[in-house]
Amino acid sequence: MELLEQRIRKDGEVLPGNILKVNSFLNHQIDTVLLDKMAEEFARLYKDVEVTKILTIEASGIAIAYPVAQQFKVPLVFAKKHQSLNVNDDVYVTKVWSFTHKADYNVVVARKFLNKDDKVLIVDDFLANGSALNGLIDLVEQAGAKVQGICIAIEKGFQDGGEKIRERGYRIESLAIVDKMTEDGKVIFRNQNK
Ligand code: 5GP
């Protein structure tokens, strides 16, 4: 999506460790006009797909997923991180490796918010090695629900999460795919006509 790529070129910061910082429009301060346009694009891409629920992960996924849920007029569920678990908790639980914090943490969704009849669109801000996304897919599958598709704002195409998850047969639509980030801070995108 040209608009998002332009914005990343203008305001994205390349940090050591192949981290792209987008705090000025996506991850801290939020450009709601841009996020609305991104949601319209996801709705266009998945217009023929039945969706009953949007699933994301806190915290940064929520802002991106909210306008997507509005487009589809379905509830938004966000998976919660770092929850201490009681045996009585009626939740689906999975483990996710945090790329940014270098640690494993539990991610949970209450069973009552995801069930076997749900047709789910998963939304997240970044796709890197795929751990966050694998966790979300696992939660949907524990519920017996169906993953209809995956919406990613920025995929780091030089990490292999996207390739491995597509190989498993999931449809992933990424609005910007970064092929390379240079030491002097340039971001190079994969050619896309979206
Ligand atoms: P993965 O689990 O695919 O390795 O990484 C995805 C998660 O890590 C995303 O939910 C995102 O929060 C975080 N992440 C991974 N790479 C980056 C990055 O370059 N910049 C930012 N801001 N977050 C990232």
Side-chain angles (χ1 to χ4, degrees), residues 18-23 27 57 60 81 96-100 105 124-133 156 159 161 181:
N18 275 329
I19 297 282
L20 177 62
K21 196 168 172 184
V22 288
N23 271 12
N27 283 157
I57 182 164
S60 51
K81 291 176 182 172
V96 167
W97 171 258
S98 167
F99 182 85
T100 34
Y105 54 90
D124 204 3
D125 57 348
F126 275 90
L127 171 56
N129 294 316
S131 179
L133 199 48
K156 296 196 292 185
Q159 290 173 270
M181 302 196 290

Side-chain angles (χ1 to χ4, degrees), residues 14-84:
V14 177
L15 302 188
N18 275 329
I19 297 282
L20 177 62
K21 196 168 172 184
V22 288
N23 271 12
S24 66
F25 60 97
L26 208 64
N27 283 157
H28 192 4
Q29 172 171 269
I30 290 168
D31 182 337
T32 60
V33 175
L34 175 65
L35 265 55
D36 276 346
K37 295 213 167 85
M38 288 163 54
E40 282 168 20
E41 183 62 5
F42 285 130
R44 187 185 70 78
L45 291 164
Y46 285 107
K47 69 176 183 313
D48 298 322
V49 172
E50 190 193 353
V51 176
T52 65
K53 219 152 262 185
I54 305 295
L55 177 68
T56 189
I57 182 164
E58 68 178 359
S60 51
I62 299 173
I64 299 168
Y66 182 101
V68 180
Q70 280 195 317
Q71 287 285 330
F72 285 91
K73 301 192 170 30
V74 297
L76 161 63
V77 177
F78 63 92
K80 297 190 163 211
K81 291 176 182 172
H82 303 298
Q83 181 131 331
S84 52

Side-chain angles (χ1 to χ4, degrees), residues 143-161:
K146 186 151 189 281
V147 176
Q148 296 289 70
I150 294 158
C151 303
I152 297 292
I154 304 170
E155 177 174 343
K156 296 196 292 185
F158 53 87
Q159 290 173 270
D160 67 359

Side-chain angles (χ1 to χ4, degrees), residues 109-148:
V109 165
R111 284 172 185 264
K112 64 183 169 192
F113 297 135
L114 217 47
N115 64 63
K116 65 174 181 33
D117 299 322
D118 276 319
K119 311 243 183 301
V120 181
L121 210 49
I122 295 176
V123 179
D124 204 3
D125 57 348
F126 275 90
L127 171 56
N129 294 316
S131 179
L133 199 48
N134 277 320
L136 291 171
I137 292 170
D138 183 30
L139 292 171
V140 174
E141 294 186 342
Q142 285 181 45
K146 186 151 189 281
V147 176
Q148 296 289 70

